[in-house]
Amino acid sequence: MEDNFDAILTKLGTGKWNIFYYILMMYWYACVCYHTLGGAFFAPPVGHTCQSADLALKPTVILPTNAHKASLPGDNFTTYTSGQGIEGEIQDSCTYMMQDNETDKIKEIECLDWDFDNATFSSTVTSEFGLVCKWEYLRATYQSIYMFGIFVGAGINGYMADKYGRKKMIMISSFFYSIIAIGSAWLPTISTVLVARFFLGTMHPTSLQTGFILAMEVTEPKRRTAVGIVQFLSWGIATILWGAWAYLIRDWRWLQLAVSLPSLLFVISLWIIDESPRWLIVAGRHEEAIRVLERAAYLNKAELPPRDKLLTLMKDIHNRVTNINNTAISTANMHH
């Protein structure tokens, strides 16, 4: 089966028809990269200081900026030394100490508001939603929940692409990916942001891996290794440019919007490309496959075998795949 169809791809060669697939998918890999690696700039660690109550107990000594932590006692205060023999206690950023007027006892109060250091970023997921102290684990969750979404999406990606087609699944997943990514710039709570990140992750393999498969299925055999390598160069370039984006746009919502809007161009461009002719043949949609191959031959200035020979070849491929699948199902049923 592979040799028969690969012979057709060899006749088509590499030209405008194939190259458009490569450019389009490379563009999408760059778009997806920004959200896959987004945690570093959307939810980075941010310096913060507790906004303690007016009656909170103050540190016993105000130390210079070159003070170093000397020990970590069990209470709220941490002992520091300045390096010049001067010692003192500085209140931490998660709790503060207050004297109870009724009992005269000093009690530890949990901090609920913080002043964040905005010297590097004017706004982040970390500072806007207070992901520090007991909520600091949500910063890691911001990144890991996207990866968990990839894990979930990867499990159904192959089945969906085989059943409904490469192009259709790429169109559906990239459309929802783009809408969710753009809409995330207006989400009001950390809960909704994390839910959006999860669904972005589930769309990731359905669009990216299926896109890679589609690109390989329109590539002649001798160029597949090179194309497979070059395809993901855009991911590396986008990773480098990520730092430039974050340098120019310091507010996380505007940054989210800026790196998400370009994905709409990919969604629109998908209407121009064809479905994988290999998938069409296996699915038994031979007339559609012939139309796709004829268009490819026209754009690549190549010649195809006569139409009747193409139909015979396609039916032969379809029958072989059907027989292989039926044999696999029968074998599985016998084992059960």
Side-chain angles (χ1 to χ4, degrees), residues 19-28 266 269-270 273:
I19 292 173
F20 188 75
Y21 282 93
Y22 308 151
I23 293 174
L24 195 58
M25 293 317 305
M26 289 176 70
Y27 179 82
W28 180 245
F266 174 80
S269 301
L270 283 174
I273 66 171

Side-chain angles (χ1 to χ4, degrees), residues 39-275:
F41 298 111
F42 290 130
V46 179
H48 54 283
T49 306
C50 178
Q51 293 182 5
S52 56
D54 294 337
L55 297 179
L57 299 179
K58 304 301 180 184
T60 56
V61 178
I62 303 300
L63 297 177
T65 56
N66 65 343
H68 301 287
K69 185 183 294 186
S71 62
L72 185 61
D75 60 15
N76 176 258
F77 293 119
T78 302
T79 301
Y80 287 78
T81 176
S82 66
Q84 300 175 344
I86 302 175
E87 293 187 355
E89 294 175 325
I90 295 180
Q91 201 167 322
D92 69 21
S93 59
C94 296
T95 59
Y96 59 91
M97 307 303 288
M98 181 175 287
Q99 187 169 13
D100 191 322
N101 293 330
E102 295 181 0
T103 63
D104 286 335
K105 291 183 178 180
I106 296 176
K107 58 182 180 180
E108 187 176 7
I109 308 296
E110 181 181 359
C111 187
L112 298 177
D113 294 293
W114 300 267
D115 290 319
F116 288 92
D117 179 7
N118 295 324
T120 303
F121 301 99
S122 62
S123 173
T124 63
V125 173
T126 305
S127 59
E128 181 170 334
F129 299 114
L131 306 188
V132 294
C133 297
K134 71 175 183 178
W135 304 111
E136 188 172 6
Y137 74 94
L138 290 176
R139 278 203 315 107
T141 304
Y142 180 87
Q143 183 64 35
S144 60
I145 200 168
Y146 184 96
M147 298 304 172
F148 180 65
I150 293 177
F151 173 77
V152 173
I156 60 174
N157 167 56
Y159 170 78
M160 300 290 282
D162 285 345
K163 184 174 179 62
Y164 299 106
R166 291 29 171 150
K167 179 181 175 180
K168 181 178 289 187
M169 292 313 302
I170 295 171
M171 291 182 73
I172 293 172
S173 59
S174 61
F175 172 78
F176 283 108
Y177 194 101
S178 302
I179 295 302
I180 294 171
I182 293 170
S184 294
W186 286 276
L187 294 178
T189 65
I190 185 60
S191 299
T192 53
V193 169
L194 293 179
V195 170
R197 289 282 294 173
F198 171 76
F199 283 110
L200 280 178
T202 60
M203 296 295 106
H204 175 114
T206 311
S207 60
L208 194 144
Q209 270 74 38
T210 307
F212 182 79
I213 292 170
L214 177 59
M216 290 296 100
E217 288 185 343
V218 299
T219 303
E220 58 180 312
K222 69 178 182 179
R223 301 194 187 277
R224 282 178 189 155
T225 301
V227 169
I229 295 171
V230 172
Q231 282 281 281
F232 279 96
L233 286 179
S234 60
W235 182 283
I237 295 171
T239 302
I240 297 171
L241 293 177
W242 209 173
W245 277 107
Y247 178 81
L248 294 172
I249 306 174
R250 305 299 180 94
D251 184 293
W252 82 268
R253 292 188 181 273
W254 285 109
L255 181 60
Q256 175 82 29
L257 187 62
V259 299
S260 301
L261 282 175
S263 61
L264 291 177
L265 180 60
F266 174 80
V267 177
I268 295 171
S269 301
L270 283 174
W271 294 98
I272 303 174
I273 66 171
D274 300 307
E275 178 58 271

